[in-house]
Amino acid sequence: MLFDLILGKTSTYTGLSKKRVRQLNHALYASVHEEEEKLPAHRFYDAESSDGAQRSTKLLRYEFEREQVYLGEVLDNKAQGHGVFHFKDCQFGGLWENGMETVGCYLWPSGVQYYGLWEKGYRHGNGVEKHQTYVYKGEWVKGAKQGYGVASSQSGCKYEGTWYNNLHDGYGLEVYKDGGFYSGQFNHGIRDGHGIRIFNPTRRLRDAFIHLKDTVPADSTDDVPSEIDLERHINTEMFETSPTEKTEIYRGQWKGDKRHGPGIHRNSQGDIYEGSFKENMRHGYGILRAASGQIVYGKWRKNELIKNTRSFNSSSQKASNAAKESCATAERKSRLALSRALGARRFAQWAVLSQREAYKHFALAEEKRKKYRLRLCVDTTA
């Protein structure tokens, strides 16, 4: 629990009102020393000080309320060392310093688990969160996913890149079950800015990936395109691919998670459209270069061609030029996203190291808890 054992500091996870926190603080200050005197002697056990100082830690049990219990090492009336704290159905076990968590494991009744670093009562630093619907490995800032990180699901979807306030934000790479991916800019969890999208038109699975709500937990890392694979797609001249490749490619501007603005789209038949998009549809002036060699200058509305000149048109040419500029911008942004994705992989590896460290301290905290209970049984039967 994010709780200072003596000062009664809480975070948003406690569910306590500010008034209730003040009441609890007052009760703790007024009764903690008196409570120590009332507790049976078998509830206190001296242990060697971890820093070798003259002061020593004690194995101690604090019961703040019926559902709030700390069991572990205490120094100067604050949690110091290894201990376990229970709050209702939640539990934190790990290493404490000056009454605050530093590294360990937090378990929620919903089954969510966090292994990693803490600072001032928040998940802060590198850590791993195992959720019912996904696994996140990466950076945390004051309790939120922020910085570099990787989220993956067993269904094959994955996001690697930068985060802000628990959402994809900045630059990153999304990989989908059908083998397609999006590499580019994100804003508040959705594709927004410039980027490249490669996908199979018959299997669009991005909706199942948004916010990772429809997936199941996963520990293993899924295969994702390598740096060489991505560079090959990014560097392809005007989407030159083999005729048998049944994929579609869009390079350009995005808004609100949709193709919106100037861009270039090549469908699975080899037709290339250069022009304006609105909410994933051709909308406005553009040029359609069919695989058969035919070139259409025209104006579209909701994917329907409403004005076909079949000859040079200045408005269509301007739209085509804007689309090519947007395509070039998307390629640059895609490269930045790739670099951020590679950085996120490194932070994910560091998060796994923090996870191992947290589990080690969690195991030591459990040993302290078992040691206390064993001595309690010995004393009560003596």
Side-chain angles (χ1 to χ4, degrees):
M1 192 59 208
L2 306 179
F3 199 86
D4 185 310
L5 298 177
I6 302 302
L7 298 181
K9 295 178 181 178
T10 60
S11 76
T12 56
Y13 295 99
T14 63
L16 301 177
S17 65
K18 292 183 179 180
K19 181 178 179 181
R20 182 65 188 125
V21 172
R22 288 195 296 269
Q23 292 174 345
L24 185 57
N25 283 340
H26 179 75
L28 287 173
Y29 279 122
S31 63
V32 63
H33 296 293
E34 180 180 353
E35 187 176 349
E36 281 191 47
E37 296 176 358
K38 291 181 179 179
L39 288 173
H42 64 259
R43 294 200 178 188
F44 295 84
Y45 298 98
D46 291 332
E48 295 182 0
S49 174
S50 59
D51 57 6
Q54 294 181 355
R55 296 179 302 166
S56 61
T57 59
K58 295 180 179 181
L59 278 175
L60 186 63
R61 176 188 176 94
Y62 274 120
E63 294 187 23
F64 304 108
E65 289 184 341
R66 182 177 299 178
E67 296 180 289
Q68 298 182 18
V69 178
Y70 171 79
L71 185 58
E73 295 178 300
V74 174
L75 179 64
D76 293 339
N77 291 327
K78 292 186 178 181
Q80 182 78 21
H82 293 93
V84 178
F85 185 83
H86 294 269
F87 174 77
K88 294 184 178 180
D89 295 327
C90 301
Q91 174 182 320
F92 172 82
L95 183 63
W96 299 71
E97 184 176 348
N98 198 30
M100 305 297 289
E101 308 92 328
T102 59
V103 57
C105 174
Y106 195 101
L107 308 176
W108 282 266
S110 62
V112 178
Q113 303 175 21
Y114 171 79
Y115 294 85
L117 305 180
W118 298 73
E119 184 177 305
K120 297 181 180 179
Y122 293 99
R123 289 175 284 181
H124 192 92
N126 296 318
V128 176
E129 181 185 68
K130 295 183 179 181
H131 201 270
Q132 291 181 345
T133 55
Y134 67 93
V135 175
Y136 171 81
K137 303 174 183 179
E139 288 188 289
W140 296 77
V141 176
K142 292 186 176 180
K145 303 176 185 71
Q146 194 160 310
Y148 288 86
V150 176
S152 59
S153 71
Q154 201 170 38
S155 68
C157 299
K158 174 176 285 192
Y159 172 78
E160 299 174 302
T162 56
W163 297 69
Y164 182 78
N165 197 24
N166 291 321
L167 296 173
H168 312 169
D169 199 277
Y171 294 89
L173 169 69
E174 279 188 345
V175 181
Y176 313 109
K177 185 178 180 179
D178 62 359
F181 67 88
Y182 169 83
S183 177
Q185 293 179 289
F186 290 84
N187 185 25
H188 292 95
I190 60 177
R191 296 169 291 189
D192 196 290
H194 287 82
I196 297 177
R197 173 75 168 100
I198 297 180
F199 57 96
N200 186 321
T202 62
R203 294 183 295 170
R204 299 185 182 183
L205 303 177
R206 207 269 167 177
D207 290 341
F209 182 72
I210 296 177
H211 306 310
L212 300 164
K213 291 181 178 179
D214 302 324
T215 56
V216 294
D219 289 330
S220 61
T221 57
D222 305 310
D223 293 334
V224 299
S226 66
E227 183 176 2
I228 297 177
D229 294 332
L230 293 174
E231 288 291 342
R232 186 183 71 245
H233 286 301
I234 293 171
N235 291 326
T236 301
E237 286 291 334
M238 291 302 296
F239 316 115
E240 290 180 0
T241 55
S242 63
T244 59
E245 187 175 355
K246 300 300 182 181
T247 58
E248 296 193 6
I249 304 176
Y250 172 78
R251 308 185 191 193
Q253 191 170 355
W254 296 74
K255 183 178 180 180
D257 213 42
K258 296 180 180 180
R259 290 170 284 175
H260 193 99
I264 300 179
H265 173 254
R266 191 217 67 182
N267 62 22
S268 57
Q269 287 75 39
D271 301 329
I272 298 175
Y273 171 78
E274 305 167 358
S276 299
F277 287 83
K278 183 178 181 180
E279 296 183 350
N280 281 335
M281 295 180 288
R282 300 172 187 172
H283 193 92
Y285 285 96
I287 299 177
L288 177 63
R289 306 180 188 275
S292 62
Q294 181 184 6
I295 300 178
V296 178
Y297 296 81
K299 184 177 182 179
W300 281 259
R301 180 182 296 166
K302 295 184 178 180
N303 271 344
E304 295 293 332
L305 181 63
I306 61 174
K307 183 178 180 181
N308 182 5
T309 62
R310 295 185 180 274
S311 62
F312 178 81
N313 179 280
S314 60
S315 297
S316 295
Q317 189 62 52
K318 289 180 181 178
S320 175
N321 293 338
K324 290 177 181 178
E325 291 180 5
S326 182
C327 177
T329 301
E331 290 178 354
R332 292 195 299 269
K333 301 299 183 181
S334 182
R335 283 191 173 86
L336 284 173
L338 175 59
S339 67
R340 301 297 190 273
L342 296 176
R345 294 182 189 182
R346 288 192 290 269
F347 275 93
Q349 293 173 350
W350 295 334
V352 171
L353 295 178
S354 297
Q355 177 189 22
R356 295 172 182 171
E357 185 73 8
Y359 186 79
K360 181 182 71 174
H361 288 289
F362 176 76
L364 291 173
E366 284 292 308
E367 289 182 7
K368 298 294 182 181
R369 181 179 63 84
K370 294 178 181 179
K371 183 178 180 181
Y372 169 81
R373 289 186 174 180
L374 178 60
R375 291 188 178 183
L376 179 61
C377 293
V378 172
D379 287 352
T380 54
T381 55

